[in-house]
Amino acid sequence: MTAITSTTAVPAAPVARPATYALSATEKRLVGLNVLVAVLALFIGSLFGPLQALEHARVDLYPLLQPLLKSYYQGLTLHGVLNALVWTTFFITGFFTLTIPFALRRPLAAPKLNWAGFIVQTLGLLTAAVPILLNQASVLYTFYPPLQAHFTFYVGLTLVVVGSWIQGYGFYITFYRWRKDNPGVRSPLMALGSVITMVLWQIATLGVAVEILTQLLPWSLGLLKGVDPQLNRTYFWFTGHPLVYFWLLPAYVSWYTMLPKQVDGKLFSDALARFAFWLFLFLSVPLGFHHQYVDPGVPPMWKYIHAILTYAVAFPSMLTAFTVIASLEVGGRARGGKGLFGWIPALPWRTPSVNHQLLAGILFFLGGIGGIVNASYNVNLVVHNTAWVPGHFHLTVASAVTLSFMGIAYWMVPHITGRTLWAPKLAVIQGWVWFVGMLIFATAQHRVGLLGAPRRTPLGQAPYVPASWQPWTFLTAIGGVILFVGVILFVVIILVTVLRKPAHPSQVPAIPEAEALQDPQLTPAWLDRWAPWLVATVALILIAYGPQLIYQIANMSNTSPGFNNIW
Amino acid sequence: MTPSQTPQPSLQIDRYERGWMIAAIVLLATFALAVTVAGAAMGIQLPAPELRVNPQTVASEGPFAQPGVRELAPGRYEAYIMSQTWLFIPREIKIPKGSEITLYVTSKDVQHGFKLEGTNINMMVIPGQVSRLTFRAEKPGTYNFICHEYCGLGHAAMFGTLIVTE
Ligand code: HEM
Ligand SMILES: [Cu+2]
Ligand SMILES: [Cu+2]
């Protein structure tokens, strides 16, 4: 279409960027199907949340579910897998199927590849679901050996990951073609952030890929007599920590490149936003030992190195806090907000999508503080594997991320289905229900954790629970039930929205796209180059993980046989 | 457009944002320093590679064949604790106030956890590995040690007690 005519040596003036891009029908379908699976997973996964929370307060509803659900632990496996792994991954691949073509103003370069990825991912989910539902894989979402699931569980998980890789390849090709056609043009931040997230995921998942393919799968098939549990924890957390950035960065894509527009503001700094994304790529893998501070098989020196790197990765989040808040302030002032804080009430809190993402940010602030505590490798001794930890990640993945995704869904689902959002006022309330429920739930979990309550434990049947824990387990239950109301409202609003009559195109929400205060062309080129960042990323991983990985692999002793009949 | 008219890309950072970035770095560096001091100077101990064992034979040979408490010298004890589904052996440990006990814990089956209530004694128990931490019994009382890693159906019932006598 647009031929590039300028051939001067001066950095070419960018080709005029098309004003917008309408997603093709097939792209919309792909977004929709990814998000559909995600929402279903959130719904089913969340059913177990209040059961767990109530159980802690000695209201045991599990006997009623006996024929379907064998135990607390089977439910907890479903809860962790469906919420933390499925809701997130499918929502993210769906969201990026929208952000990447839209930001690049061009269709997916290889839509068949994206379809293939989605299909593999979904088949994987179904494959893993069977053994979980049959109570053949009640190993929780961390599947630590020597608990041994049925082999189809590992096959299914592998397919989910591989499917997401394939969807990623579809994104990379699209991005690469755009790059070739637009030399000298700064890549749109929305697309860059999305692709960086997928590349981060690609690198991060090599840990579980090796774990499953070299240890767990052959072992569950009987080809390997035993595995090395310590080594597998190291593999798992190689993936497990960056996993949280895979969840978080799509929310950041929205906070940086969409939310400012939704509040009539502008992105405060394109350059620093890019810098933050690159730093996440660079820093988020080599921190996994911070989940293994109390593992006997990892030398303290390496735990210490990963602790320091964990502080470093807090930096881009702190940078994000400033840039996003400054962008919001630009909006609040443009809307007439005055004074030091007057811009805050001037923000469009009544827009569900905005409301949710603001509340997400507030809860993330609290979660971030807790994260610093967890990272401090000595203080971690107080909280490791206590209820403090679920308290922490319900503020992060189940709030910062989940509330943001819900907020995104509130414009994205209407956009791709050509509807308007049903009951926007109720949608705002739904966000506040989650917020209040989470404040109660998270406070209670943090507190009972500090008192020593273990996580992953049906406390209602534990013989050692002292009276001092009981106010907090009670509040856990209250918060959990409120949260559950929040999930149900969300699912109903989305469902009714989809089932509505199509709206007039002028009423269907557009994709929000924020401008930056300063033309991105003025962002330095090193913030738009892949090679140096990729090289640095791989180098840091080799330095911070290489020696321990080599040591643990060289000293591998596959002496643990599987245990598959103890739940 | 001639090159001289084109503004050149350069990293422009707002004054306040620069200040924030510096503050963030100072804050994080302080945390890092605090952890370093605590770890190096105050001798905070974490489980470290101690001994590799074979979970299939550890219950019949080596120090875990007879789990229990031994007195090494007056006021110095060591305990070898076997974790298995779903109990700790021994279930009860008694030491006098003011003594020091080194805990060695392993598992002969799946992963378990070990947290001594109200203390910094917290470790993963991983088959094939031995976890070791030392505890100084300052205050008399009964302390539970609780399994905090999912280990199968009986996980919630898995705990033991350390009694510090007068
Ligand atoms: C209805 C809302 C929810 C409630 C009431 C709830 C409640 C709980 C409770 C009580 C636990 C602790 C169980 C234990 O340690 O024994 C838990 C664990 C967990 N939750 Fe939620 N939750 C909810 C939603 C979510 C969401 C939206 C996510 C993620 C996006 C999530 C992710 C997790 C994860 C990963 C675990 C840990 C599982 C494990 O230890 O294996 N939850 N949840
Ligand atoms: Cu982590
Ligand atoms: Cu246990």
Side-chain angles (χ1 to χ4, degrees):
Chain A
M1 263 186 349
T2 19
I4 299 168
T5 46
S6 157
T7 51
T8 47
V10 186
V15 181
R17 184 158 174 254
T20 188
Y21 168 79
L23 294 195
S24 70
T26 195
E27 284 158 0
K28 284 185 178 168
R29 201 165 302 136
L30 250 171
V31 176
L33 287 173
N34 270 290
V35 171
L36 176 70
V37 178
V39 172
L40 279 176
L42 176 70
F43 174 61
I44 301 173
S46 293
L47 295 176
F48 305 99
L51 295 180
Q52 285 148 205
L54 286 166
E55 200 285 339
H56 290 194
R58 306 214 170 138
V59 180
D60 184 1
L61 299 179
Y62 290 86
L64 302 177
L65 301 165
Q66 254 309 315
L68 283 176
L69 192 75
K70 294 286 174 269
S71 71
Y72 182 91
Y73 304 107
Q74 188 188 7
L76 191 56
T77 304
L78 282 160
H79 183 76
V81 169
L82 289 175
N83 282 343
L85 304 179
V86 181
W87 149 247
T88 50
T89 305
F90 279 82
F91 191 92
I92 292 165
T93 47
F95 181 46
F96 289 168
T97 305
L98 177 141
T99 56
I100 290 170
F102 173 73
L104 299 176
R105 305 286 196 263
R106 61 192 290 145
L108 286 176
K112 291 220 176 85
L113 204 56
N114 289 72
W115 274 111
F118 171 73
I119 291 167
V120 171
Q121 208 172 304
T122 309
L123 285 178
L125 170 58
L126 296 174
T127 309
V130 174
I132 302 179
L133 292 172
L134 293 175
N135 199 23
Q136 300 285 308
S138 298
V139 293
L140 308 189
Y141 84 109
T142 45
F143 51 89
Y144 291 143
L147 293 174
Q148 188 185 57
H150 191 263
F151 79 91
T152 49
F153 173 78
Y154 304 114
V155 172
L157 283 189
T158 307
L159 292 179
V160 171
V161 170
V162 170
S164 68
W165 288 355
I166 299 174
Q167 296 207 62
Y169 303 148
F171 300 146
Y172 305 159
I173 296 173
T174 310
F175 188 87
Y176 180 77
R177 295 268 170 80
W178 177 90
R179 180 78 282 171
K180 287 281 138 221
D181 291 349
N182 295 272
V185 179
R186 291 290 170 270
S187 48
L189 179 60
M190 191 190 289
L192 183 73
S194 306
V195 176
I196 288 177
T197 308
M198 291 310 289
V199 171
L200 168 67
W201 176 240
Q202 172 69 58
I203 298 174
T205 40
L206 294 175
V208 279
V210 171
E211 176 183 7
I212 293 183
L213 297 179
T214 68
Q215 291 254 289
L216 304 188
L217 189 57
W219 172 65
S220 63
L221 286 167
L223 302 173
L224 209 56
K225 285 276 161 290
V227 290
D228 184 331
Q230 177 66 75
L231 173 63
N232 282 291
R233 287 176 65 88
T234 299
Y235 286 149
F236 182 86
W237 288 111
F238 182 99
T239 301
H241 184 78
L243 176 63
V244 312
Y245 291 103
F246 174 63
W247 298 332
L248 189 61
L249 291 190
Y252 282 7
V253 167
S254 174
W255 295 2
Y256 275 123
T257 74
M258 298 177 154
L259 186 59
K261 167 78 177 179
Q262 292 174 290
V263 303
D264 303 317
K266 290 194 170 177
L267 170 58
F268 191 73
S269 172
D270 175 84
L272 290 179
R274 276 170 216 261
F275 187 43
F277 278 107
W278 289 121
L279 284 180
F280 279 118
L281 177 68
F282 176 55
L283 289 169
S284 59
V285 175
L287 323 172
F289 287 145
H290 73 201
H291 294 262
Q292 298 177 264
Y293 285 149
V294 300
D295 275 22
V298 179
M301 204 252 293
W302 291 101
K303 296 173 178 170
Y304 173 74
I305 291 170
H306 283 219
I308 300 300
L309 285 167
T310 306
Y311 291 123
V313 81
F315 177 70
S317 273
M318 293 177 81
L319 196 56
T320 301
F322 186 95
T323 306
V324 170
I325 292 174
S327 310
L328 293 171
E329 182 180 351
V330 173
R333 298 209 182 281
R335 297 170 58 86
K338 301 261 176 325
L340 195 52
F341 296 113
W343 57 272
I344 299 175
L347 294 171
W349 289 86
R350 301 225 163 106
T351 308
S353 177
V354 172
N355 173 65
H356 276 58
Q357 297 186 64
L358 296 175
L359 296 179
I362 296 170
L363 292 176
F364 191 48
F365 173 73
L366 302 176
I369 296 175
I372 296 278
V373 172
N374 304 343
S376 308
Y377 86 160
N378 36 19
V379 190
N380 179 273
L381 288 171
V382 180
V383 296
H384 175 82
N385 258 4
T386 67
W388 166 286
V389 177
H392 167 70
F393 59 65
H394 283 83
L395 286 174
T396 51
V397 65
S399 292
V401 174
T402 296
L403 266 181
S404 293
F405 288 4
M406 287 172 171
I408 293 167
Y410 281 152
W411 62 260
M412 186 162 80
V413 171
H415 177 83
I416 57 166
T417 55
R419 265 74 176 168
T420 53
L421 184 67
W422 178 72
K425 279 201 189 117
L426 185 62
V428 170
I429 295 173
Q430 185 266 332
W432 283 101
V433 169
W434 194 275
F435 184 76
V436 171
M438 192 54 82
L439 284 180
I440 300 172
F441 177 85
T443 305
Q445 287 278 287
H446 278 90
R447 294 303 296 264
V448 76
L450 282 178
L451 295 176
R455 67 180 284 205
R456 308 187 131 176
T457 306
L459 294 173
Q461 63 184 63
Y464 46 69
V465 175
S468 63
W469 298 2
Q470 282 165 14
W472 303 113
T473 52
F474 178 72
L475 280 180
T476 298
I478 304 270
V481 171
I482 299 176
L483 282 171
F484 184 62
V485 173
V487 175
I488 297 300
L489 286 177
F490 169 71
V491 174
V492 168
I493 293 169
I494 291 295
L495 206 71
V496 177
T497 298
V498 172
L499 297 177
R500 293 184 111 182
K501 281 208 284 293
H504 189 271
S506 65
Q507 309 224 289
V508 173
I511 300 177
E513 182 179 42
E515 277 175 39
L517 279 180
Q518 193 190 39
D519 183 356
Q521 282 308 112
L522 297 177
T523 294
W526 60 273
L527 289 172
D528 202 22
R529 284 218 186 96
W530 283 87
W533 290 104
L534 283 175
V535 170
T537 301
V538 173
L540 185 63
I541 293 173
L542 290 178
I543 294 169
Y545 251 124
Q548 257 308 293
L549 274 177
I550 292 172
Y551 177 82
Q552 290 191 23
I553 293 170
N555 290 285
M556 169 163 46
S557 62
N558 290 331
T559 44
S560 271
F563 292 81
N564 54 18
N565 54 358
I566 59 169
W567 57 71
Chain B
M1 238 196 286
T2 68
S4 61
Q5 288 169 318
T6 323
Q8 286 304 302
S10 67
L11 190 56
Q12 307 276 340
I13 303 181
D14 170 83
R15 204 151 62 82
Y16 290 107
E17 186 146 28
R18 185 183 301 273
W20 171 262
M21 287 164 72
I22 293 170
I25 291 172
V26 169
L27 184 70
L28 294 169
T30 310
F31 290 153
L33 191 70
V35 164
T36 310
V37 170
M42 294 162 59
I44 300 278
Q45 34 154 13
L46 291 180
E50 171 71 19
L51 175 70
R52 304 282 302 260
V53 291
N54 182 340
Q56 296 180 63
T57 55
V58 69
S60 52
E61 57 191 48
F64 288 93
Q66 273 114 32
V69 188
R70 292 180 252 286
E71 183 167 10
L72 300 174
R76 278 189 52 229
Y77 295 83
E78 62 177 18
Y80 281 84
I81 302 174
M82 174 66 83
S83 322
Q84 61 190 68
T85 52
W86 292 288
L87 48 97
F88 291 108
I89 303 175
R91 282 189 158 167
E92 195 180 284
I93 298 173
K94 260 199 194 127
I95 49 167
K97 174 182 129 181
S99 55
E100 195 178 79
I101 184 165
T102 299
L103 305 161
Y104 297 85
V105 192
T106 194
S107 163
K108 66 172 198 175
D109 43 50
V110 296
Q111 297 189 26
H112 299 275
F114 185 102
K115 182 167 195 313
L116 189 60
E117 251 181 332
T119 71
N120 275 358
I121 303 296
N122 190 341
M123 39 197 174
M124 294 305 305
V125 181
I126 300 177
Q129 304 276 344
V130 175
S131 305
R132 173 178 65 92
L133 283 179
T134 300
F135 173 63
R136 205 164 220 316
E138 312 280 9
K139 264 203 291 193
T142 304
Y143 302 80
N144 287 334
F145 46 90
I146 294 175
C147 175
H148 61 47
E149 185 55 83
Y150 168 56
C151 54
L153 205 53
H155 160 61
M158 181 164 167
F159 79 113
T161 14
L162 180 107
I163 298 169
V164 180
T165 55
E166 276 296 347

